[in-house]
Amino acid sequence: MTQAGRNDPCPCGSGKKYKRCCLAVHEAAGEERKRLVEEPVPLEQFEEEALELEALSNRVTELIRAGGLEEAERASRDLLRRFPDQLDGLEGLARVYEARGETAAAAEHYRRAALFAERGEGYDAELIADLRRRARELDDRAKRGDVSATPEEGD
């Protein structure tokens, strides 16, 4: 896949320039990958970070289910900041926007998550296809004016 130039339209489909949309997230993820290669992480630290990521991701899901959407948004943004090389923050934001009925923003974040996974390592084609499917479904809902649907249970 060809890398987008700074002034090109963002590949996520937002309509914004790449430098004003996804560039910072992609650069942060690249820097994190570079840091990890240059500075191997001790196994104990890796396990702690993995547990922290899982706990925070699960917290986003719990907050969405409980209707704590503001706090879920803050937790998703915290995921993006603390784990820029992981998909969880983008997907969390997509789910928050979906729960609020903000279908256009949710679809945009699912597309960003799919693009992130496509460019990253360790994400399978099925996950990418699912994220793109969710974005299309939300686009269809927005066209019909149906904003009542919420994220599926178990997501």
Side-chain angles (χ1 to χ4, degrees), residues 93-143:
L93 284 173
R95 293 175 55 228
V96 166
Y97 291 130
E98 187 175 359
R100 285 184 180 150
E102 298 175 24
T103 55
E108 178 180 335
H109 280 77
Y110 279 127
R111 279 190 289 277
R112 285 183 183 184
L115 180 65
F116 180 91
E118 202 171 73
R119 291 184 172 174
E121 296 177 17
Y123 298 105
D124 64 18
E126 187 176 328
L127 171 66
I128 295 166
D130 183 57
L131 293 167
R132 292 198 186 286
R133 176 191 56 79
R134 288 178 176 192
R136 280 191 309 274
E137 288 175 357
L138 288 165
D139 286 337
D140 290 344
R141 282 188 214 151
K143 287 176 188 172

Side-chain angles (χ1 to χ4, degrees), residues 68-85:
L69 301 181
E70 294 299 320
E71 193 173 342
E73 181 177 358
R74 281 192 298 277
S76 295
R77 292 191 187 283
D78 192 32
L79 275 166
L80 278 173
R81 182 184 55 78
R82 291 169 58 192
F83 301 98
D85 60 333

Side-chain angles (χ1 to χ4, degrees), residues 7-135:
N7 290 314
D8 292 341
C10 189
C12 78
S14 68
K16 299 176 185 174
K17 286 186 179 184
Y18 182 55
K19 67 183 178 186
R20 300 207 185 278
C21 194
C22 293
L23 177 63
V25 171
H26 293 157
E27 285 179 343
E31 288 299 316
E32 180 67 10
R33 279 189 210 95
K34 182 179 175 184
R35 183 188 66 77
L36 291 174
V37 169
E38 292 172 356
E39 304 170 21
V41 177
L43 182 58
E44 297 81 24
Q45 182 182 348
F46 177 78
E47 290 173 350
E48 287 175 18
E49 287 180 3
L51 289 173
E52 186 179 355
L53 171 64
E54 182 178 5
L56 193 50
S57 295
N58 289 341
R59 180 77 177 136
V60 169
T61 299
E62 292 166 5
L63 288 165
I64 290 170
R65 287 184 180 156
L69 301 181
E70 294 299 320
E71 193 173 342
E73 181 177 358
R74 281 192 298 277
S76 295
R77 292 191 187 283
D78 192 32
L79 275 166
L80 278 173
R81 182 184 55 78
R82 291 169 58 192
F83 301 98
D85 60 333
Q86 298 297 320
L87 179 68
D88 301 56
L90 286 171
E91 190 174 10
L93 284 173
R95 293 175 55 228
V96 166
Y97 291 130
E98 187 175 359
R100 285 184 180 150
E102 298 175 24
T103 55
E108 178 180 335
H109 280 77
Y110 279 127
R111 279 190 289 277
R112 285 183 183 184
L115 180 65
F116 180 91
E118 202 171 73
R119 291 184 172 174
E121 296 177 17
Y123 298 105
D124 64 18
E126 187 176 328
L127 171 66
I128 295 166
D130 183 57
L131 293 167
R132 292 198 186 286
R133 176 191 56 79
R134 288 178 176 192

